[in-house]
Amino acid sequence: MELISMIVPCYNEQETLDDFYQEITVVRDKLSSMGSSLEVIFIDDGSKDRTLEKMRAFAGENPWIKYLSFTRNFGKEAAIYAGLTRGRGDFVGLMDVDLQDPPSLIPKMLAILRDGEYDCVATRRVNRRGEPVIRSFFARAFYKIMRRISDVEIVDGARDYRLMSRRYVDSVLELKEYNRFSKGLFGWVGYRTKWLEYENVERARGETKWSFFKLLKYSIDGIVGFSAAPVRFAAWIGLIFCVLAFIFILVIIARTLIFGDPVAGWPSLVCIILLLSGIQLFCLGLLGEYLSKTYMEVKKRPLYLCKETNLEDED
Ligand code: UDP
Ligand code: MG
């Protein structure tokens, strides 16, 4: 029978796991009536509450529930990667545990993939109702900038909730980079993706794990990972300032020859020095971002470390 592996990253989700379990059991019955079996792979991303205990209990009662627990919090990207490498299904899906990704959509996604025309069914929310205004504003700005400076299509409002074919997942796993920005990687591999839209659903219980600064860092990772525009921008600024300086030198030489050399203008000099050194430091920082990413890539550290799992050993 066709197998669907659903990957569910969890970080301190003891409040939401029970509700999720209820809903996914219903969906599992629906799927088996469609001729598919479902396995759920919970990834415990180093939770500090009773998340792991709950997973163990669910797995003890249900052979179709698997779990893998990290030694510490490695982040959602690492959890996604761990799940993708461990999921053995003919179709592999990804969803949050907080029921913001309605599990009832899975049968519909499966039906679309079975047709064979698409290799991925992804979801996007059509609005951001219930989200803080500032957060929505910056999120929109991020997607706008990203679309401009990157070749990869990154869809506004895209969630991580998706179901993918085996070959699509294998392609994603061929991208071995350490700094993983999944929203970009999924676009990068190509194939055809069908987008389903739904209204934003608020978190069932518990709290969001994303602070504003975590999101800001995440978006910088996205930009650095998928575009060299910032450093190119730095080079252009440098060039423009060289041209300006050259013109300035000519003007000063001409002025000195014609009017002599009155000593004046140190305030303007201070401003120029401050501006230029500011720009230089900023550009150095940009370079540093890319360099630090390269540094992490070169080290080739594992993306996660597994503390405990009931999944069979890899390969
Ligand atoms: N998550 C994770 N590791 C983290 C942060 C979050 O595995 O470091 C999981 C979390 O448990 C949830 C999903 O990622 O299942 C989405 O997190 P959250 O609901 O907090 O984000 P939001 O929906 O607010 O974007
Ligand atoms: Mg959520």
Side-chain angles (χ1 to χ4, degrees), residues 20-77:
F20 179 81
Y21 174 70
Q22 299 285 331
E23 294 227 3
I24 204 75
T25 321
V26 176
V27 172
R28 188 179 137 84
D29 294 340
K30 179 103 191 281
L31 288 172
S32 61
S33 72
M34 290 169 74
S36 293
S37 62
L38 173 76
E39 68 166 1
V40 170
I41 306 178
F42 287 120
I43 311 287
D44 165 37
D45 187 6
S47 303
K48 295 179 185 70
D49 60 0
R50 295 184 50 245
T51 300
L52 178 59
E53 280 167 51
K54 290 214 160 182
M55 286 178 184
R56 262 192 228 124
F58 286 136
E61 288 163 23
N62 308 279
W64 52 276
I65 294 191
K66 310 275 196 287
Y67 69 91
L68 185 153
S69 175
F70 289 175
T71 54
R72 64 168 171 86
N73 181 246
F74 280 91
K76 191 180 178 188
E77 288 293 336

